Amino acid sequence: MKKVLTAVFALSITAMLFAQESLASPDATVIGNDSAKQALREVSVDRFEIEGSWGATISPDYGVISSRLFDGSPAAKDPIKGDEDAVDSKVLGVKVEFFHRGVNSFYIRSARPIPIEGVTKTISLWAAGRNMNHELYVLVQDYYGNNFELYVGNLGFSGWKKMQVAVPPTPDGEHGIIQQSAYDGVRPGLRIVGFRVDCNPMLARGTYYLYLDDMRAVTDLYDIENRDEDDMRDDW
């Protein structure tokens, strides 16, 4: 009996460690992978290079917020293969001046939703969270315009860190985040709307700074790359 309990305990610990590792660094090759037909590509979503393309908001009851671009880039960041010459010299900075501590959030939104072609597997970006235990979420819209939020991680670290989140596949094509459908026209499967930061109520005081850069996605472009040139597009 003791041996059985020991084995069960060992398997439970292994499962927990695997789950933690999967959440920390999701593997795009196995997310929703029910077919060998995949063409995974890492693509740039936004490099935060255009002033005014992002804005930040917070409830006026909680504080004042502002955002702007700064010269800089994470030193450990590698360019996307084949895209080494792309302009990438700015980062987005957000400054929050809290009125008082409390349960609150602030938003960082794109001027317009940013589409990602194909079926998105993971979303990543670099962040400098100033070692504050606030929580970062990415806000997305699926194929039908339904809104979802995905937990990216805790901002309690110093310096720049690459943060990544997996996009969960729909279990049946009708629920969850739907990125493609055979019943409707051709449209981008996923759109990035922005980010939400849920503040730790004990740390939401004084002035807080957050910096973001180089948002990317790993997406499956199989259907797009293997579409015949003479095939009709179902978008009329």
Side-chain angles (χ1 to χ4, degrees):
M1 185 63 180
K2 290 183 178 179
K3 292 183 178 180
V4 174
L5 291 175
T6 302
V8 171
F9 179 74
L11 289 173
S12 300
I13 294 297
T14 302
M16 291 174 60
L17 292 175
F18 176 77
Q20 292 176 356
E21 182 179 356
S22 299
L23 289 173
S25 55
D27 185 354
T29 62
V30 299
I31 297 174
N33 183 15
D34 56 1
S35 171
K37 297 178 180 179
Q38 287 198 112
L40 297 180
R41 303 287 185 272
E42 185 178 37
V43 298
S44 175
V45 178
D46 196 280
R47 297 186 177 90
F48 302 98
E49 295 293 308
I50 303 176
E51 193 73 63
S53 60
W54 291 83
T57 59
I58 190 173
S59 170
D61 295 331
Y62 296 136
V64 177
I65 193 169
S66 58
S67 62
R68 50 164 292 197
L69 298 183
F70 291 88
D71 292 330
S73 182
K77 180 179 64 179
D78 294 323
I80 296 177
K81 186 177 180 180
D83 204 16
E84 292 83 359
D85 296 331
V87 177
D88 191 6
S89 60
K90 304 285 186 180
V91 302
L92 177 67
V94 178
K95 175 183 178 181
V96 185
E97 298 172 86
F98 294 106
F99 291 154
H100 52 77
R101 289 188 295 191
V103 178
N104 57 68
S105 303
F106 63 88
Y107 293 84
I108 307 166
R109 291 188 175 93
S110 174
R112 62 185 63 184
I114 305 173
I116 306 175
E117 286 190 311
V119 178
T120 303
K121 302 292 185 175
T122 64
I123 300 169
S124 67
L125 78 159
W126 286 82
R130 292 297 181 258
N131 202 22
M132 290 288 182
N133 287 320
H134 305 316
E135 308 289 344
L136 178 65
Y137 294 80
V138 60
L139 309 177
V140 302
Q141 289 180 347
D142 72 354
Y143 188 90
Y144 294 109
N146 298 314
N147 294 299
F148 295 88
E149 58 185 44
L150 300 174
Y151 178 66
V152 181
N154 187 283
L155 295 169
F157 54 85
S158 299
W160 285 102
K161 177 182 177 181
K162 184 178 181 180
M163 306 182 73
Q164 189 174 18
V165 60
V167 180
T170 172
D172 54 10
E174 296 183 1
H175 301 86
I177 301 178
I178 301 173
Q179 298 195 54
Q180 61 183 358
S181 173
Y183 301 101
D184 293 284
V186 179
R187 293 180 297 180
L190 196 71
R191 296 171 177 83
I192 303 295
V193 177
F195 303 93
R196 190 185 77 236
V197 177
D198 290 347
C199 302
N200 185 312
M202 297 303 296
L203 302 177
R205 62 185 180 89
T207 303
Y208 175 64
Y209 296 90
L210 172 65
Y211 299 91
L212 304 176
D213 191 32
D214 194 31
M215 180 165 48
R216 303 181 183 182
V218 174
T219 179
D220 181 7
L221 299 175
Y222 180 86
D223 289 342
I224 296 175
E225 293 183 350
N226 291 276
R227 185 183 184 89
D228 292 334
E229 295 182 0
D230 59 353
D231 195 0
M232 301 297 128
R233 293 180 63 86
D234 300 332
D235 56 359
W236 53 278

